[in-house]
Each structure stands twice: as structure tokens, then as C-alpha cells.
Amino acid sequence: MNIKLVLKLVGRVLLLEAAALAVPLAVALIYREDPLPFLLAIAIVAAVGLALSALPAKSQFFTREGFVAVGLIWIFTGLVGALPFMFCGYFATPMDAIFESCSGFTTTGSTILPEIESLPRGILFWRAFTHW
């Protein structure tokens, strides 16, 4: 199995997610909210994405690499999508933030929040953006 190629692909998807985090960052800036949750998330995700994307790998891609890549991408996307939720301080535990993120990316729409409207607009936008 060509694990370096799989990790390189995961890194590229993480770079796309870092770019997507720039949109709610802009929303937070427009509404003069704290941009720190998004800046920290973008920095972490971009660093990991760049490191993984830089791995030298053979270009042979077979079915098993595809299965592993899709599985890892789902896991990493859910974990990375939870970073702004964890950094904003409105979620009691990291597991709550991961649940909210995975709920968005899988479009189930479930939530652990009793009052969604009380969140900052940038976080609300990220939550809605993950459902898109």
C-alpha cells in the first residue's frame, strides 16, 4: 500500500478545508467578533496540510488506497472542522465540538446545543457551512 500517497491526498484536502475556514473568518471580522478560533484553526490545519502535501510519493493509486484515503479524509475532516468550535469556548468538551462538526459534514443536522442562536455569527456561519 502506498501510504505516503494517501497521506499526501489527505494533506491536500486539509488545505482545502483551511481555505474554507477563511470564509467564516471573514464573517467574524465583518461582525467584529473574535477571529482567534478561525485563525488558530487555519494555522494548525494549513501546517499539517502543507507537511502532508509535501511528502514524496509514487503516483500509483489503487482501490485499497482509495478506501483508506476516503476513511482518513472523513476522520480528519470531522476533527479539523471541530477546531473552531473547540477554540470558541462555547462547547463544554472536545467531544461535543467533534459531534457538532461530524453532524455538519454528514448533514445529519443533530446538535448538542440548547440555544444555537446565542453563538457568535462566525461560529454560526461555520456550523451552517459544514452542512452545505
Side-chain angles (χ1 to χ4, degrees):
M1 168 134 80
N2 193 352
I3 193 69
K4 287 184 180 180
L5 181 61
V6 170
L7 292 175
K8 186 175 191 139
L9 182 60
V10 170
R12 289 183 180 171
V13 171
L14 290 180
L15 288 175
L16 288 173
E17 193 166 358
L21 281 163
V23 179
L25 170 65
V27 171
L29 291 173
I30 288 170
Y31 285 102
R32 297 174 191 230
E33 297 171 346
D34 184 19
L36 193 59
F38 299 108
L39 291 173
L40 289 172
I42 289 170
I44 292 169
V45 176
V48 172
L50 283 172
L52 291 176
S53 294
L55 288 174
K58 298 176 188 173
S59 60
Q60 296 175 340
F61 196 80
F62 298 106
T63 306
R64 66 181 156 189
E65 280 90 358
F67 282 120
V68 172
V70 169
L72 287 176
I73 287 169
W74 271 109
I75 291 168
F76 277 100
T77 301
L79 293 175
V80 166
L83 290 177
F85 296 140
M86 284 192 261
F87 295 146
C88 77
Y90 285 90
F91 291 81
T93 65
M95 192 54 71
D96 290 344
I98 292 169
F99 177 85
E100 199 71 32
S101 174
C102 290
S103 168
F105 285 117
T106 59
T107 65
T108 57
S110 298
T111 186
I112 51 94
L113 299 170
E115 290 184 37
I116 297 171
E117 295 84 15
S118 65
L119 293 173
R121 289 184 175 113
I123 296 295
L124 279 175
F125 186 87
W126 177 242
R127 185 180 176 277
F129 198 52
T130 60
H131 289 261
W132 178 65

